[in-house]
Amino acid sequence: MRKKLDKLYRNQSLIYKVFLLAITTFLVVYLFPKGGKFKYDFQKGKVWQEETLYAPFDFAIQKTEEEILREQQEVKDNFIEYFHYDTEIFNSVKLKFDENFPVFFSNLDISNNRLKTLRFYGDQLLDKIYEYGVVEEGVNYNNEKRINLVIDNEERTILFDNITQFNEIKTIINDYLEDKNISQYSNKFYNLFFDVIRPNVSADEELTKRTLEQELSKITTTRGNVEVGKRIVAKGEVVEGEKFEILNSLRKEYQSQLWSDKNYLLIVFGYSVLVALAFLMLMLFLQKFRPAIFENNNKVTFIFFNVFVMILVTTFVVKYNVKFLYVVPLCILPLILKTFFDPRLGFFIHVLTVLLLGFIVPNSFEYVYLQIIAGIVTTQTISELHKRANLFISVGQITTAYIVVYFSFYITYEGSLENMNLLTFGMFILNGLATLSALPLVYIYEKVFGLVSDVSLLELTDTNSRLLKQLSDKAPGTFHHSLQVANIAEAAANEIGANSMLVRVAALYHDIGKMNNPTYFTENQTTSVNPHNDLDPKESAKIIINHVIEGIEMAKKNNLPDRIIDFIRTHHGTSVVYYFYKKEESMNENVNVEDFRYPGPTPFSKETAILMMADAVEAASKSLKNPTFPIIDSFVDKIVGKQMDEGQFLNANITFKEIQIVKKVMKKKLTNIYHLRVEYPE
């Protein structure tokens, strides 16, 4: 049991990667469209390259989205809206008219017969006004527009102009009274009618909406059928017009039939294999070409997380509105991966992600081609992200690449510019603006995943930062030494293609541990008094060695990135404090060399190896009395040669040729530091 647990513990990193691959595959397959994949790939305006295709079964020809939208708009344009006639209001108005008529006409000196006649005319006038009802005041509607008026559940189609409006009541009263030759009573009728009349016609929005939905639902999504065995397209024919629409209909029908309960598990299995293979290729690439990243589970998780997020966002856009597909800033993926790792890895992962998205997006060939070109532009152009202008210039280049490629595709498919939708170019511009969000994303990823970018490294080079300010105040000699090492190491890193920014920052902080006991290091001794004279060689060596351990603790306390702490840990490797070892050896023959050895580990990268060489060469160069070109040349060879003999660079991926280049740069830098010139003959 214990052996199994030990084996499990030793393989926990590999087990985690297998789990990560499996869970990411599951999530991506879950996002894939719930339908089978049509086995033929075709593009509008392109020649059909397959064999002549015959209908494998009966299917309906699907209308295009434009056709459906056009029919829907026709229904809306011809639809007659509904208005409701309230009979109860009309009855209450008549009742109130009967009650108020005697009040308004009782003081007139007329006969009862005349009064009855006026009342009869009033009833007629009221019926005339309310024949189609009175609409609310302020309702603006086209008088020539037809409407459906519902009176007691009976529907009547009339012109809106037939309904009485408030501003028309006075005219109707005048015309009616003149027709009956009783205009002398117009004021009485005005006062009476405007006192009792109330609007009783209003728009019935609920009935209108419900009926409109019913009418729209009657629109069919198909037009005609294709019978089994009918030829759809022959080999060599151009896919356009009716052929293109029939092929689209066949693809939809094929996918809907394929994705059934019977085939569900098989399709999921097929998708899972394809996705898992893509992620497996990514794992193998990391293992073979980026072993340092492969061994770091945090970085592997970061890569898989970014791939999944891009697939998730693209799937969401395709599902809810495919028109905004090109707004998704897919180039953020290679941009961010290039920032934290390298361009080759960023582009490789970008291509894998685009290939997976080919299962989701429409016109997959066009999409894949477009995104791969954009990815190439991204990895080739964006550099030194800490320089803000570079990001804006590169985003402009990416946007231009999108527009040029899309424009080329369009004129290839359509053969003209007549129906080109300029809104698509606006989408590409929005895509470019969205790509600018890479800068804040880099900051967020640094905090969440503990990664380091050039932007953070640039901030750490500020010599006015709190930690470097303390180093300058407490150990000015060490601070000056660190600056010199930074200049030498940066120049060497540039020559062999290493990360010069990382090396420079690491050089500035590699000796911060000396702040605790600055006077025990010769560069900080301003007098002839050496505190080591009063100490045992072992104690002196312990103080010297402890500056590495104390530097690590100080760096962690001040939240320096782990990548910088690695340099502090390795800048002396497993070398020996040779001076005090020899001093102890002169006093004690049975000296243990391990008491004078740095704890290590040895450098494990080009950058850490460069810092070790630059630190040793710069520090030892202070002992040169009268440096000349030959002296510096042999001096550098001796220091670096001793480190190589001790095997300090065995774990670093630096070649012998690169070490020779680094030594050459160091010799040149030391020559400049000591201001050596050619000696002219007298």
Side-chain angles (χ1 to χ4, degrees):
M1 182 67 182
R2 185 170 181 177
K3 289 182 178 179
K4 290 182 179 179
L5 290 175
D6 289 342
K7 186 177 181 180
L8 186 67
Y9 179 77
R10 287 195 302 271
N11 296 312
Q12 61 176 338
S13 179
L14 182 59
I15 293 171
Y16 173 78
K17 291 181 179 68
V18 172
F19 171 77
L20 182 65
L21 189 150
I23 193 67
T24 310
T25 300
F26 169 79
L27 292 173
V28 170
V29 171
Y30 179 78
L31 292 175
F32 274 10
K34 302 301 183 289
K37 192 71 177 175
F38 191 50
K39 59 183 177 180
Y40 298 110
D41 191 19
F42 58 91
Q43 299 287 329
K44 185 178 181 181
K46 292 291 184 180
V47 174
W48 179 258
Q49 300 290 350
E50 308 289 342
E51 294 298 325
T52 300
L53 179 63
Y54 297 91
F57 44 75
D58 293 338
F59 65 94
I61 302 174
Q62 301 288 330
K63 293 178 182 176
T64 64
E65 185 178 349
E66 290 75 16
E67 286 177 317
I68 295 174
L69 289 175
R70 186 167 59 249
E71 290 183 19
Q72 289 176 342
Q73 191 60 47
E74 288 177 2
V75 169
K76 291 177 182 178
D77 292 340
N78 297 322
F79 183 74
I80 302 176
E81 297 183 21
Y82 284 82
F83 282 74
H84 176 67
Y85 184 102
D86 195 328
T87 309
E88 292 184 3
I89 292 178
F90 173 60
N91 292 334
S92 65
V93 168
K94 290 195 71 172
L95 183 62
K96 193 172 182 181
F97 172 82
D98 292 339
E99 293 175 352
N100 290 357
F101 184 84
V103 176
F104 282 87
F105 286 86
S106 60
N107 58 351
L108 293 178
D109 186 16
I110 57 175
S111 65
N112 287 334
N113 288 334
R114 185 63 170 170
L115 190 61
K116 288 179 180 180
T117 301
L118 292 176
R119 186 179 186 125
F120 174 76
Y121 288 149
D123 283 331
Q124 272 195 339
L125 180 56
L126 196 61
D127 290 336
K128 180 179 178 61
I129 292 173
Y130 275 95
E131 181 181 2
Y132 298 108
V134 178
V135 74
E136 296 176 345
E137 191 173 8
V139 175
N140 295 319
Y141 208 76
N142 184 359
N143 287 339
E144 300 300 321
K145 183 79 172 178
R146 291 190 303 163
I147 65 167
N148 287 323
L149 187 63
V150 180
I151 305 176
D152 292 332
N153 295 324
E154 182 181 341
E155 180 182 317
R156 299 172 63 183
T157 301
I158 62 170
L159 292 176
F160 184 77
D161 189 42
N162 292 341
I163 299 176
T164 303
Q165 301 181 44
F166 258 95
N167 59 358
E168 299 174 341
I169 293 176
K170 188 173 182 179
T171 304
I172 294 172
I173 294 174
N174 280 335
D175 292 344
Y176 183 82
L177 295 180
E178 287 180 5
D179 183 57
K180 301 299 181 182
N181 295 318
I182 51 173
S183 298
Q184 64 271 30
Y185 303 107
S186 58
N187 287 333
K188 294 290 184 179
F189 278 103
Y190 289 155
N191 294 333
L192 173 58
F193 274 77
F194 281 104
D195 185 58
V196 300
I197 286 178
R198 290 167 52 200
N200 72 327
V201 173
S202 59
D204 194 332
E205 295 180 357
E206 182 179 349
L207 180 59
T208 298
K209 181 181 178 181
R210 187 168 63 249
T211 309
L212 178 59
E213 288 176 351
Q214 291 174 355
E215 291 297 320
L216 291 174
S217 66
K218 295 177 183 177
I219 297 176
T220 60
T221 59
T222 63
R223 50 174 180 82
N225 292 291
V226 176
E227 296 179 354
V228 61
K230 181 180 178 181
R231 191 180 74 177
I232 297 175
V233 60
K235 185 176 182 179
E237 285 187 325
V238 177
V239 178
E240 58 185 358
E242 185 76 7
K243 290 184 178 65
F244 179 71
E245 293 175 9
I246 292 175
L247 281 170
N248 265 330
S249 302
L250 176 60
R251 176 166 56 187
K252 292 176 183 178
E253 187 69 23
Y254 179 84
Q255 290 172 348
S256 64
Q257 288 190 14
L258 189 61
W259 193 263
S260 60
D261 293 337
K262 180 181 177 181
N263 300 321
Y264 180 85
L265 292 177
L266 280 175
I267 295 174
V268 169
F269 175 76
Y271 273 151
S272 300
V273 170
L274 293 172
V275 175
L277 277 174
F279 286 128
L280 182 61
M281 293 304 103
L282 174 55
M283 285 289 193
L284 293 175
F285 178 88
L286 293 175
Q287 185 184 38
K288 185 172 179 62
F289 299 105
R290 301 294 184 275
I293 297 175
F294 181 78
E295 294 299 327
N296 190 319
N297 286 340
N298 182 53
K299 292 180 179 178
V300 174
T301 304
F302 171 74
I303 291 171
F304 273 70
F305 172 78
N306 275 276
V307 172
F308 174 71
V309 167
M310 281 300 161
I311 294 175
L312 176 66
V313 172
T314 305
T315 305
F316 179 83
V317 172
V318 171
K319 182 177 179 181
Y320 288 97
N321 197 335
V322 73
K323 292 180 180 179
F324 294 100
L325 176 62
Y326 288 120
V327 177
V328 179
L330 200 64
C331 287
I332 281 184
L333 180 62
L335 195 159
I336 288 178
L337 293 175
K338 179 183 177 180
T339 300
F340 289 116
F341 305 117
D342 62 88
R344 184 181 176 189
L345 177 61
F347 180 67
F348 182 84
I349 295 172
H350 176 72
V351 170
L352 277 183
T353 306
V354 170
L355 291 177
L356 289 175
L357 289 174
F359 290 104
I360 299 172
V361 300
N363 298 325
S364 55
F365 173 77
E366 176 185 326
Y367 180 84
V368 169
Y369 184 91
L370 186 67
Q371 295 296 351
I372 287 179
I373 293 297
I376 293 173
V377 174
T378 302
T379 52
Q380 294 294 326
T381 59
I382 292 183
S383 60
E384 298 181 322
L385 194 61
H386 58 276
K387 296 181 180 179
R388 292 171 295 180
N390 287 356
L391 179 61
F392 285 96
I393 294 171
S394 297
V395 166
Q397 293 171 330
I398 293 167
T399 305
T400 303
Y402 272 127
I403 292 174
V404 170
V405 175
Y406 178 80
F407 177 80
S408 302
F409 266 115
Y410 188 87
I411 60 176
T412 301
Y413 292 158
E414 301 296 333
S416 68
L417 303 177
E418 293 180 4
N419 299 319
M420 178 172 284
N421 187 1
L422 297 179
L423 184 61
T424 307
F425 297 114
M427 301 289 183
F428 291 131
I429 294 173
L430 289 176
N431 183 301
L433 294 175
T435 305
L436 294 175
S437 64
L439 210 54
L441 271 179
V442 166
Y443 176 79
I444 294 170
Y445 283 146
E446 285 179 337
K447 300 305 178 185
V448 175
F449 290 93
L451 301 172
V452 182
S453 69
D454 285 351
V455 179
S456 295
L457 292 176
L458 183 66
E459 293 173 354
L460 291 171
T461 59
D462 184 9
T463 54
N464 288 317
S465 63
R466 189 168 62 87
L467 199 56
L468 291 181
K469 197 72 176 174
Q470 287 179 0
L471 181 63
S472 176
D473 294 338
K474 294 181 180 180
T478 299
F479 177 72
H480 183 263
H481 159 72
S482 298
L483 288 176
Q484 295 280 39
V485 173
N487 292 332
I488 295 172
E490 182 182 23
N494 278 325
E495 284 296 317
I496 65 171
N499 190 332
S500 58
M501 178 71 76
L502 178 63
V503 172
R504 180 172 184 82
V505 174
L508 291 175
Y509 290 90
H510 78 284
D511 271 344
I512 56 175
K514 292 181 179 180
M515 280 193 285
N516 289 345
N517 296 293
T519 57
Y520 285 86
F521 300 89
T522 55
E523 66 265 24
N524 298 311
Q525 295 170 0
T526 56
T527 64
S528 59
V529 178
N530 189 342
H532 287 290
N533 294 335
D534 300 325
L535 296 177
D536 181 80
K538 284 186 179 181
E539 294 179 7
S540 295
K542 185 177 181 181
I543 293 174
I544 299 298
I545 291 171
N546 278 347
H547 90 272
V548 173
I549 299 169
E550 291 170 355
I552 294 170
E553 294 173 353
M554 199 175 295
K556 289 181 178 179
K557 185 178 179 181
N558 286 272
N559 297 318
L560 287 184
D562 289 339
R563 292 180 73 184
I564 303 302
I565 296 175
D566 287 338
F567 284 86
I568 299 174
R569 186 180 287 112
T570 61
H571 77 277
H572 283 294
T574 56
S575 61
V576 175
V577 185
Y578 197 70
Y579 176 83
F580 292 109
Y581 168 69
K582 283 297 183 182
K583 187 176 180 180
E584 176 69 15
E585 190 178 44
S586 65
M587 298 184 296
N588 179 12
E589 292 183 358
N590 297 323
V591 61
N592 185 1
V593 69
E594 297 304 320
D595 293 335
F596 298 85
R597 190 181 298 280
Y598 283 98
T602 57
F604 53 83
S605 65
K606 291 180 182 180
E607 290 78 12
T608 50
I610 290 170
L611 179 61
M612 171 181 268
M613 288 185 271
D615 180 46
V617 167
E618 202 286 329
S621 69
K622 297 294 189 293
S623 63
L624 297 175
K625 301 299 182 184
N626 297 304
T628 61
F629 290 111
I631 290 175
I632 289 176
D633 190 72
S634 61
F635 167 78
V636 172
D637 288 339
K638 180 181 177 182
I639 296 293
V640 177
K642 185 172 183 294
Q643 292 174 334
M644 293 175 67
D645 292 340
E646 293 175 352
Q648 298 296 330
F649 307 135
L650 291 178
N651 294 326
N653 60 336
I654 188 169
T655 65
F656 182 77
K657 180 181 179 180
E658 288 171 335
I659 292 175
Q660 299 307 310
I661 295 173
V662 170
K663 289 197 298 184
K664 185 177 180 180
V665 173
M666 290 180 178
K667 292 172 185 178
K668 183 178 179 181
K669 282 291 181 181
L670 286 179
T671 301
N672 294 336
I673 290 172
Y674 287 106
H675 306 291
L676 297 182
R677 290 183 173 85
V678 177
E679 294 183 6
Y680 295 98
E682 297 181 359

